[in-house]
Amino acid sequence: MALTGGMAPAAMAQKEQVISVPGFADFLAVDGTTVWATNRGRVEQWSLDGKRADVPMGRPCGAMAFANDTLWVADCEKRALTRIDARTAAVVATIPTGVANPAGELNVVAGAGSIWIASDDKGAVSRIDPATNAIIATVKVAPGTWYLAFGFDAVWAVSANGRVLQRIDPTTNAVTATVPLGAQPGFLAAGEGAVWVQEQGDGTLARIDPATAKVTGRVKVGAKLAYGDIDTGGGKVWLRTTEDQTFAVIDAGTLAIDARVGKPVGSGALRYTDAGVWTSAHDHHTLSWWPAPVTGGAAK
């Protein structure tokens, strides 16, 4: 296992396009050339030309899932999963699943023909059938499991307090492996050949082999990574940070930090697309689009 870090010799050449978003734009989900963002009492759809849609909700919270023209959003006020038809921007179902972390740090994910949500802080992940909007399984997990990702034919679930990553087999609805992690693990992503977990308290990003369920490397990104976000794509890991820069770009193969991009703007979310990267900065009331990221140029 390798531990790498340090400043990158190269950086990201791109021009940030900033959109002013009143309120508290936070978690993001990509819908083609547009992006959905949670906000206070609503979910909004934005493009570079402005707001496209506004869907009132109780208190949308956590990372959302987008699948088959449907947006799935946790509602921390109703302790439920909300189903939104993205074509009509209308709520079509509210499913009383429970929400494991009512403070709002959690994920809803799609995979294996189902929607998954961390539904009970005592240790449960609920599986919802989108054909019926019914809970079809409840998976027992470690207490304090809030964070989910889907990839490599499995659901991956992090317990911050338990400091473990758990692999859930969707064919059995059971945990088949656990991986010890560092301090305060949080948001994660599955892609580019591995599962990636922010070890927020250590300021590191951990790489886990999905086949062996073992940590194969770590990269030190900063002093801490609290309350940021993560995504994968284009051979990279894209890590939204709260200090030092807006986001860092890590090579998935070498674990080298390819770029540190933008000024520190506090907490927010990030989503990668082939055309560019969306980020939010809720304390600054903005969304940003970073088009066509390439290596070279100035980092900040």
Side-chain angles (χ1 to χ4, degrees):
M1 182 182 72
L3 177 64
T4 61
M7 294 296 293
M12 199 67 58
Q14 55 198 328
K15 183 174 177 59
E16 177 186 13
Q17 299 177 34
V18 181
I19 306 168
S20 178
V21 180
F24 197 84
D26 195 358
F27 293 98
L28 304 175
V30 172
D31 178 5
T33 59
T34 70
V35 66
W36 293 86
T38 63
N39 208 322
R40 289 195 176 101
R42 60 196 185 275
V43 176
E44 300 170 331
Q45 183 186 27
W46 288 84
S47 73
L48 292 176
D49 298 323
K51 187 160 67 173
R52 294 281 190 88
D54 189 319
V55 184
M57 283 182 57
R59 184 160 68 89
C61 57
M64 303 172 284
F66 188 86
N68 301 320
D69 293 319
T70 301
L71 187 69
W72 299 87
V73 192
D75 190 324
C76 280
E77 179 182 284
K78 296 180 180 179
R79 310 292 174 95
L81 179 64
T82 301
R83 177 174 185 159
I84 297 171
D85 186 327
R87 296 163 298 184
T88 61
V91 173
V92 294
T94 300
I95 306 162
T97 54
V99 172
N101 182 11
E105 298 291 306
L106 75 157
N107 299 72
V108 176
V109 298
S114 300
I115 307 300
W116 308 77
I117 182 173
S119 53
D120 191 329
D121 190 50
K122 294 179 181 178
V125 171
S126 291
R127 180 177 188 172
I128 295 89
D129 181 355
T132 62
N133 295 329
I135 298 172
I136 57 173
T138 301
V139 183
K140 184 178 180 181
V141 291
T145 294
W146 305 336
Y147 308 101
L148 305 179
F150 190 92
F152 310 104
D153 300 318
V155 179
W156 301 88
V158 166
S159 168
N161 291 338
R163 294 173 61 160
V164 293
L165 171 67
Q166 303 149 94
R167 183 178 63 199
I168 299 171
D169 183 347
T171 64
T172 62
N173 295 317
V175 173
T176 58
T178 59
V179 185
L181 295 171
Q184 198 185 346
F187 287 105
L188 68 159
E192 301 301 333
V195 180
W196 307 85
V197 184
Q198 294 176 317
E199 295 172 317
Q200 297 175 116
D202 294 330
T204 54
L205 174 68
R207 181 179 64 192
I208 295 92
D209 184 324
T212 64
K214 295 185 181 298
V215 176
T216 61
R218 283 186 169 93
V219 55
K220 181 76 171 180
V221 180
K224 60 182 180 180
L225 295 173
Y227 313 121
D229 199 7
I230 185 172
D231 205 359
T232 59
K236 312 293 183 183
V237 182
W238 306 81
L239 191 64
R240 179 74 170 81
T241 61
T242 56
E243 299 184 359
D244 304 323
Q245 64 276 307
T246 304
F247 63 94
V249 187
I250 296 100
D251 186 281
T254 66
L255 296 184
I257 300 175
D258 284 349
R260 296 176 181 270
V261 183
K263 298 178 180 180
V265 287
S267 184
L270 175 149
R271 283 295 176 265
Y272 168 87
T273 77
D274 290 340
V277 174
W278 289 99
T279 61
S280 65
H282 51 65
D283 295 334
H284 291 249
H285 315 292
T286 58
L287 291 174
S288 290
W289 169 247
W290 308 80
V294 294
T295 301
K300 297 182 180 179

PDB file of all heavy atoms in Angstrom, residues 16 34 55-56 62 81 86 91 109 113 119 142 162 164 171 181 188 210 218 221 229 248 251 260 276:
ATOM      1  N   GLU A  16     -13.507  29.182 -14.685  1.00  0.00           N
ATOM      2  CA  GLU A  16     -14.709  28.942 -13.896  1.00  0.00           C
ATOM      3  C   GLU A  16     -15.833  29.848 -14.373  1.00  0.00           C
ATOM      4  O   GLU A  16     -15.643  31.050 -14.563  1.00  0.00           O
ATOM      5  CB  GLU A  16     -14.402  29.207 -12.431  1.00  0.00           C
ATOM      6  CG  GLU A  16     -15.597  29.057 -11.503  1.00  0.00           C
ATOM      7  CD  GLU A  16     -15.275  29.468 -10.071  1.00  0.00           C
ATOM      8  OE1 GLU A  16     -14.203  30.091  -9.858  1.00  0.00           O
ATOM      9  OE2 GLU A  16     -16.088  29.188  -9.180  1.00  0.00           O
ATOM     10  N   THR A  34     -27.654  19.921 -17.710  1.00  0.00           N
ATOM     11  CA  THR A  34     -28.102  20.689 -16.558  1.00  0.00           C
ATOM     12  C   THR A  34     -27.728  19.967 -15.270  1.00  0.00           C
ATOM     13  O   THR A  34     -27.260  18.828 -15.283  1.00  0.00           O
ATOM     14  CB  THR A  34     -29.624  20.921 -16.589  1.00  0.00           C
ATOM     15  OG1 THR A  34     -30.309  19.683 -16.334  1.00  0.00           O
ATOM     16  CG2 THR A  34     -30.058  21.486 -17.934  1.00  0.00           C
ATOM     17  N   VAL A  55     -38.677  22.698  -7.491  1.00  0.00           N
ATOM     18  CA  VAL A  55     -39.583  21.700  -6.924  1.00  0.00           C
ATOM     19  C   VAL A  55     -39.623  21.868  -5.408  1.00  0.00           C
ATOM     20  O   VAL A  55     -38.653  21.569  -4.719  1.00  0.00           O
ATOM     21  CB  VAL A  55     -39.130  20.270  -7.267  1.00  0.00           C
ATOM     22  CG1 VAL A  55     -40.143  19.254  -6.745  1.00  0.00           C
ATOM     23  CG2 VAL A  55     -38.921  20.116  -8.768  1.00  0.00           C
ATOM     24  N   PRO A  56     -40.742  22.350  -4.839  1.00  0.00           N
ATOM     25  CA  PRO A  56     -40.833  22.513  -3.385  1.00  0.00           C
ATOM     26  C   PRO A  56     -40.772  21.168  -2.666  1.00  0.00           C
ATOM     27  O   PRO A  56     -41.345  20.178  -3.120  1.00  0.00           O
ATOM     28  CB  PRO A  56     -42.201  23.182  -3.189  1.00  0.00           C
ATOM     29  CG  PRO A  56     -42.533  23.790  -4.507  1.00  0.00           C
ATOM     30  CD  PRO A  56     -41.945  22.864  -5.521  1.00  0.00           C
ATOM     31  N   GLY A  62     -28.722  15.711   1.571  1.00  0.00           N
ATOM     32  CA  GLY A  62     -27.848  14.639   1.115  1.00  0.00           C
ATOM     33  C   GLY A  62     -27.698  14.575  -0.389  1.00  0.00           C
ATOM     34  O   GLY A  62     -28.375  15.261  -1.152  1.00  0.00           O
ATOM     35  N   LEU A  81     -38.044   9.349   1.440  1.00  0.00           N
ATOM     36  CA  LEU A  81     -37.421   9.434   0.135  1.00  0.00           C
ATOM     37  C   LEU A  81     -38.431  10.027  -0.842  1.00  0.00           C
ATOM     38  O   LEU A  81     -39.552   9.531  -0.964  1.00  0.00           O
ATOM     39  CB  LEU A  81     -36.984   8.043  -0.333  1.00  0.00           C
ATOM     40  CG  LEU A  81     -36.316   7.946  -1.702  1.00  0.00           C
ATOM     41  CD1 LEU A  81     -35.006   8.708  -1.717  1.00  0.00           C
ATOM     42  CD2 LEU A  81     -36.089   6.477  -2.069  1.00  0.00           C
ATOM     43  N   ALA A  86     -38.273  14.227 -13.419  1.00  0.00           N
ATOM     44  CA  ALA A  86     -37.430  15.324 -13.893  1.00  0.00           C
ATOM     45  C   ALA A  86     -37.989  15.985 -15.146  1.00  0.00           C
ATOM     46  O   ALA A  86     -37.678  17.146 -15.436  1.00  0.00           O
ATOM     47  CB  ALA A  86     -36.018  14.805 -14.163  1.00  0.00           C
ATOM     48  N   VAL A  91     -43.192  16.271  -7.839  1.00  0.00           N
ATOM     49  CA  VAL A  91     -43.069  15.150  -6.906  1.00  0.00           C
ATOM     50  C   VAL A  91     -44.163  14.135  -7.235  1.00  0.00           C
ATOM     51  O   VAL A  91     -45.342  14.469  -7.282  1.00  0.00           O
ATOM     52  CB  VAL A  91     -43.203  15.625  -5.449  1.00  0.00           C
ATOM     53  CG1 VAL A  91     -43.238  14.433  -4.492  1.00  0.00           C
ATOM     54  CG2 VAL A  91     -42.052  16.563  -5.076  1.00  0.00           C
ATOM     55  N   VAL A 109     -28.533   6.378  -3.622  1.00  0.00           N
ATOM     56  CA  VAL A 109     -27.845   5.885  -4.812  1.00  0.00           C
ATOM     57  C   VAL A 109     -28.746   4.928  -5.578  1.00  0.00           C
ATOM     58  O   VAL A 109     -29.688   4.342  -5.025  1.00  0.00           O
ATOM     59  CB  VAL A 109     -26.514   5.184  -4.466  1.00  0.00           C
ATOM     60  CG1 VAL A 109     -25.552   6.160  -3.803  1.00  0.00           C
ATOM     61  CG2 VAL A 109     -26.728   3.955  -3.596  1.00  0.00           C
ATOM     62  N   GLY A 113     -31.050  -2.170 -10.272  1.00  0.00           N
ATOM     63  CA  GLY A 113     -32.482  -1.997 -10.485  1.00  0.00           C
ATOM     64  C   GLY A 113     -33.232  -1.421  -9.316  1.00  0.00           C
ATOM     65  O   GLY A 113     -34.468  -1.471  -9.281  1.00  0.00           O
ATOM     66  N   SER A 119     -31.151   4.443   6.064  1.00  0.00           N
ATOM     67  CA  SER A 119     -32.482   4.766   6.577  1.00  0.00           C
ATOM     68  C   SER A 119     -32.609   4.780   8.096  1.00  0.00           C
ATOM     69  O   SER A 119     -33.621   5.252   8.621  1.00  0.00           O
ATOM     70  CB  SER A 119     -33.503   3.776   6.001  1.00  0.00           C
ATOM     71  OG  SER A 119     -33.110   2.440   6.231  1.00  0.00           O
ATOM     72  N   ALA A 142     -23.462  -1.476   9.970  1.00  0.00           N
ATOM     73  CA  ALA A 142     -22.899  -0.913  11.202  1.00  0.00           C
ATOM     74  C   ALA A 142     -23.665   0.342  11.607  1.00  0.00           C
ATOM     75  O   ALA A 142     -24.115   1.106  10.749  1.00  0.00           O
ATOM     76  CB  ALA A 142     -21.424  -0.583  11.002  1.00  0.00           C
ATOM     77  N   GLY A 162     -18.052   4.062  13.059  1.00  0.00           N
ATOM     78  CA  GLY A 162     -17.452   2.737  13.074  1.00  0.00           C
ATOM     79  C   GLY A 162     -16.144   2.654  12.316  1.00  0.00           C
ATOM     80  O   GLY A 162     -15.413   1.672  12.443  1.00  0.00           O
ATOM     81  N   VAL A 164     -15.537   2.129   9.134  1.00  0.00           N
ATOM     82  CA  VAL A 164     -15.476   0.974   8.247  1.00  0.00           C
ATOM     83  C   VAL A 164     -16.211   1.254   6.941  1.00  0.00           C
ATOM     84  O   VAL A 164     -17.164   2.029   6.898  1.00  0.00           O
ATOM     85  CB  VAL A 164     -16.084  -0.296   8.889  1.00  0.00           C
ATOM     86  CG1 VAL A 164     -15.248  -0.764  10.062  1.00  0.00           C
ATOM     87  CG2 VAL A 164     -17.536  -0.078   9.278  1.00  0.00           C
ATOM     88  N   THR A 171     -27.522  -9.247  -4.473  1.00  0.00           N
ATOM     89  CA  THR A 171     -28.215 -10.517  -4.715  1.00  0.00           C
ATOM     90  C   THR A 171     -28.669 -11.176  -3.422  1.00  0.00           C
ATOM     91  O   THR A 171     -29.620 -11.966  -3.418  1.00  0.00           O
ATOM     92  CB  THR A 171     -27.318 -11.500  -5.494  1.00  0.00           C
ATOM     93  OG1 THR A 171     -26.171 -11.837  -4.704  1.00  0.00           O
ATOM     94  CG2 THR A 171     -26.865 -10.884  -6.807  1.00  0.00           C
ATOM     95  N   LEU A 181     -11.068   1.712   8.122  1.00  0.00           N
ATOM     96  CA  LEU A 181     -10.693   2.985   7.521  1.00  0.00           C
ATOM     97  C   LEU A 181     -10.048   3.897   8.553  1.00  0.00           C
ATOM     98  O   LEU A 181      -9.987   3.584   9.745  1.00  0.00           O
ATOM     99  CB  LEU A 181     -11.929   3.658   6.917  1.00  0.00           C
ATOM    100  CG  LEU A 181     -12.591   2.952   5.738  1.00  0.00           C
ATOM    101  CD1 LEU A 181     -13.916   3.615   5.399  1.00  0.00           C
ATOM    102  CD2 LEU A 181     -11.680   2.937   4.510  1.00  0.00           C
ATOM    103  N   LEU A 188     -17.969   8.886  -0.498  1.00  0.00           N
ATOM    104  CA  LEU A 188     -17.196   7.924  -1.271  1.00  0.00           C
ATOM    105  C   LEU A 188     -17.708   7.865  -2.698  1.00  0.00           C
ATOM    106  O   LEU A 188     -18.791   8.369  -3.003  1.00  0.00           O
ATOM    107  CB  LEU A 188     -17.262   6.541  -0.633  1.00  0.00           C
ATOM    108  CG  LEU A 188     -18.615   5.806  -0.654  1.00  0.00           C
ATOM    109  CD1 LEU A 188     -18.403   4.305  -0.471  1.00  0.00           C
ATOM    110  CD2 LEU A 188     -19.551   6.314   0.442  1.00  0.00           C
ATOM    111  N   PRO A 210     -12.124  -3.280  -5.131  1.00  0.00           N
ATOM    112  CA  PRO A 210     -13.471  -3.833  -4.919  1.00  0.00           C
ATOM    113  C   PRO A 210     -13.503  -5.354  -4.893  1.00  0.00           C
ATOM    114  O   PRO A 210     -14.416  -5.944  -4.310  1.00  0.00           O
ATOM    115  CB  PRO A 210     -14.273  -3.284  -6.102  1.00  0.00           C
ATOM    116  CG  PRO A 210     -13.253  -2.971  -7.137  1.00  0.00           C
ATOM    117  CD  PRO A 210     -12.020  -2.555  -6.403  1.00  0.00           C
ATOM    118  N   ARG A 218      -3.176   5.286  -0.363  1.00  0.00           N
ATOM    119  CA  ARG A 218      -3.737   6.514   0.197  1.00  0.00           C
ATOM    120  C   ARG A 218      -2.953   7.703  -0.326  1.00  0.00           C
ATOM    121  O   ARG A 218      -1.746   7.603  -0.584  1.00  0.00           O
ATOM    122  CB  ARG A 218      -3.666   6.520   1.735  1.00  0.00           C
ATOM    123  CG  ARG A 218      -4.709   5.655   2.420  1.00  0.00           C
ATOM    124  CD  ARG A 218      -4.672   5.825   3.929  1.00  0.00           C
ATOM    125  NE  ARG A 218      -5.824   5.214   4.572  1.00  0.00           N
ATOM    126  CZ  ARG A 218      -5.855   3.971   5.044  1.00  0.00           C
ATOM    127  NH1 ARG A 218      -4.775   3.202   4.926  1.00  0.00           N
ATOM    128  NH2 ARG A 218      -6.946   3.499   5.620  1.00  0.00           N
ATOM    129  N   VAL A 221      -4.165  14.719   0.995  1.00  0.00           N
ATOM    130  CA  VAL A 221      -4.634  15.861   0.205  1.00  0.00           C
ATOM    131  C   VAL A 221      -4.519  17.165   0.990  1.00  0.00           C
ATOM    132  O   VAL A 221      -4.202  18.208   0.437  1.00  0.00           O
ATOM    133  CB  VAL A 221      -6.088  15.636  -0.255  1.00  0.00           C
ATOM    134  CG1 VAL A 221      -6.599  16.819  -1.072  1.00  0.00           C
ATOM    135  CG2 VAL A 221      -6.189  14.359  -1.082  1.00  0.00           C
ATOM    136  N   ASP A 229     -16.943  16.576  -1.035  1.00  0.00           N
ATOM    137  CA  ASP A 229     -17.654  15.645  -1.910  1.00  0.00           C
ATOM    138  C   ASP A 229     -16.634  14.978  -2.810  1.00  0.00           C
ATOM    139  O   ASP A 229     -15.457  15.378  -2.850  1.00  0.00           O
ATOM    140  CB  ASP A 229     -18.711  16.401  -2.719  1.00  0.00           C
ATOM    141  CG  ASP A 229     -19.786  15.492  -3.291  1.00  0.00           C
ATOM    142  OD1 ASP A 229     -19.798  14.297  -2.962  1.00  0.00           O
ATOM    143  OD2 ASP A 229     -20.611  15.992  -4.074  1.00  0.00           O
ATOM    144  N   ALA A 248      -9.601  19.158  -5.718  1.00  0.00           N
ATOM    145  CA  ALA A 248      -8.335  18.558  -6.121  1.00  0.00           C
ATOM    146  C   ALA A 248      -8.617  17.443  -7.112  1.00  0.00           C
ATOM    147  O   ALA A 248      -9.678  16.821  -7.091  1.00  0.00           O
ATOM    148  CB  ALA A 248      -7.590  18.015  -4.909  1.00  0.00           C
ATOM    149  N   ASP A 251      -4.915  11.416  -9.883  1.00  0.00           N
ATOM    150  CA  ASP A 251      -4.811  10.373 -10.894  1.00  0.00           C
ATOM    151  C   ASP A 251      -5.165   9.030 -10.260  1.00  0.00           C
ATOM    152  O   ASP A 251      -4.570   8.628  -9.259  1.00  0.00           O
ATOM    153  CB  ASP A 251      -3.393  10.330 -11.456  1.00  0.00           C
ATOM    154  CG  ASP A 251      -3.262   9.358 -12.612  1.00  0.00           C
ATOM    155  OD1 ASP A 251      -3.160   8.136 -12.356  1.00  0.00           O
ATOM    156  OD2 ASP A 251      -3.259   9.805 -13.773  1.00  0.00           O
ATOM    157  N   ARG A 260      -4.744  21.292  -8.184  1.00  0.00           N
ATOM    158  CA  ARG A 260      -5.504  21.905  -7.094  1.00  0.00           C
ATOM    159  C   ARG A 260      -6.165  23.135  -7.705  1.00  0.00           C
ATOM    160  O   ARG A 260      -5.481  24.061  -8.130  1.00  0.00           O
ATOM    161  CB  ARG A 260      -4.590  22.272  -5.930  1.00  0.00           C
ATOM    162  CG  ARG A 260      -3.925  21.049  -5.268  1.00  0.00           C
ATOM    163  CD  ARG A 260      -2.957  21.488  -4.174  1.00  0.00           C
ATOM    164  NE  ARG A 260      -2.292  20.359  -3.536  1.00  0.00           N
ATOM    165  CZ  ARG A 260      -2.744  19.708  -2.459  1.00  0.00           C
ATOM    166  NH1 ARG A 260      -3.889  20.090  -1.915  1.00  0.00           N
ATOM    167  NH2 ARG A 260      -2.072  18.713  -1.941  1.00  0.00           N
ATOM    168  N   GLY A 276     -17.094  18.634 -18.356  1.00  0.00           N
ATOM    169  CA  GLY A 276     -16.606  19.523 -17.307  1.00  0.00           C
ATOM    170  C   GLY A 276     -17.098  19.092 -15.943  1.00  0.00           C
ATOM    171  O   GLY A 276     -17.678  18.013 -15.787  1.00  0.00           O
TER     172      GLY A 276
END
